[in-house]
Amino acid sequence: VAFAAPAFAQDAYPSKPVTILVPAAAGGPSDTVARLVAEAMTRDLGQQVLIENVGGAGGSLGAGQVAQATPDGYTLLLYHVATSTFGALYPELAYKPGEAFSSVGLVTDVPMTLVGRKDLEPADIGALMTWLKGDGAGATFGTAGVGAVSDLCGRLLTEASGVELTVVPYKGTGPAMTDLVGGQIDLMCDQTTNTANQIKAGEIKPYGVTTKEPIAILPDVPTLASSGLDGFEITAWHAIWAPTGTPEPIRQRLSASLQKALTDPVVIERFAGLGTVPVAAAQATPAALDERFQSEIERWSKLLADAGEK
Ligand code: MLT
């Protein structure tokens, strides 16, 4: 009689390493968040939580790999707000993000910064806007590809100010940052998990933060909203998803492990140094992410449709 075997198999989860796929290059902002969380989850799950980076097309390529993975809890996706834009921006995709992914929980909401190469002439955001409408028109702007949050920020900037940018796509803003520091591109709008240390080291020039209020680790950087771009706001909320069909006990086990990781003092301290905070435990749950994801899919579909993008 083999009746006990399936229950046993599930109780043992995880019985081998778990892979979190980050659909952007190693060393970038999402990768940084994922590695900190994975370290803490490894301690809790008693199995290695590995990171795999599959960058390109704003993250839609790597996310597609997770959409098609076996829903057994061993392949997960960690990404951000961009996941809610893929349906609108890539209608040809073989998966619908709103249906292909099953929520595990929210992770953190990361502020962003508009930054330039350190020798860019304009001293502040006002001067930058004047320059972008004149001599600097068509300045180069690094992104992680169509739909990435760095790209969404650039779209909002163009919409709010009418400035023209020449978008240069990378497989993630990790490699874009290397080029910004090297002076090969002019501007980026990127998460503090990638920009805070470079700003503090004087390697890049900060022009503004994308949150309503200034942020603690960059107190001297004004908000874009208070610098002539009224209401300008975008943050990169991150989350963990599993492929749809992942057994409920596994999803709950992962959510519990995520909640534990987000109260780990080391994670809290490292996040703080990068300008962000973990979400509250009640947000690191399937229900909270379901709600956020569906409402963000609606919001971005509308915003992108209004901007002429279907
Ligand atoms: C990355 O990790 O490279 C970024 O999160 C990509 C992006 O700007 O969306």
Side-chain angles (χ1 to χ4, degrees):
V1 280
F3 56 84
F8 245 94
Q10 206 163 69
D11 286 344
Y13 175 84
S15 61
K16 60 177 187 179
V18 173
T19 297
I20 296 183
L21 188 145
V22 173
S30 298
D31 182 65
T32 297
V33 167
R35 283 177 200 272
L36 289 174
V37 170
E39 253 177 58
M41 285 178 72
T42 293
R43 286 194 288 277
D44 177 55
L45 292 171
Q47 285 288 345
Q48 281 290 320
V49 179
L50 308 167
I51 302 296
E52 186 184 343
N53 301 90
V54 181
S60 62
L61 284 178
Q65 212 161 297
V66 178
Q68 271 139 29
T70 308
D72 57 4
Y74 292 98
T75 308
L76 308 172
L77 173 69
L78 186 146
Y79 207 39
H80 53 50
V81 51
T83 316
S84 41
T85 69
F86 298 155
L89 292 174
Y90 297 92
E92 73 285 3
L93 277 187
Y95 65 98
K96 287 193 167 43
E99 294 165 16
F101 301 122
S102 173
S103 298
V104 171
L106 288 155
V107 176
T108 181
D109 210 352
V110 187
M112 299 182 75
T113 46
L114 178 63
V115 291
R117 59 181 158 81
K118 64 171 179 277
D119 55 353
L120 204 62
E121 202 179 296
D124 57 27
I125 180 73
L128 178 70
M129 287 301 154
T130 308
W131 180 74
L132 284 171
K133 287 174 186 166
D135 289 351
T140 48
F141 183 85
T143 75
V146 171
V149 69
S150 43
D151 176 67
L152 299 177
C153 184
R155 287 168 191 252
L156 293 181
L157 204 60
T158 293
E159 204 173 313
S161 62
V163 298
E164 294 293 331
L165 300 165
T166 305
V167 172
V168 184
Y170 292 80
K171 285 199 169 166
T173 52
M177 179 58 75
T178 304
D179 276 6
L180 187 70
V181 170
Q184 279 92 26
I185 54 172
D186 298 318
L187 292 163
M188 266 170 79
C189 179
D190 197 17
Q191 299 158 63
T192 54
T193 37
N194 205 30
T195 62
N197 289 337
Q198 302 287 9
I199 291 171
K200 286 191 249 170
E203 294 290 341
I204 55 175
K205 194 182 266 192
Y207 285 107
V209 295
T210 63
T211 42
K212 256 189 220 143
E213 305 292 334
I215 58 173
I217 54 156
L218 300 170
D220 302 331
V221 183
T223 65
L224 293 174
S226 67
S227 313
L229 296 168
D230 291 353
F232 193 99
E233 198 185 353
I234 181 169
T235 56
W237 59 265
H238 281 71
I240 296 181
W241 288 271
T244 292
T246 302
E248 188 57 21
I250 291 181
R251 235 163 44 118
Q252 294 300 338
R253 178 71 188 93
L254 287 167
S255 169
S257 183
L258 173 62
Q259 289 171 40
K260 199 160 172 201
L262 296 180
T263 54
D264 185 317
V266 176
V267 172
I268 294 173
E269 192 195 323
R270 298 284 301 280
F271 271 24
L274 296 170
T276 193
V277 287
V279 299
Q283 296 291 301
T285 57
L289 175 55
D290 274 344
E291 198 182 313
R292 185 72 170 270
F293 190 37
Q294 295 306 331
S295 76
E296 287 280 280
I297 288 175
E298 266 174 47
R299 172 171 169 244
W300 284 101
S301 301
K302 187 174 179 318
L303 277 174
L304 295 165
D306 288 351
E309 197 82 51
K310 277 253 163 47

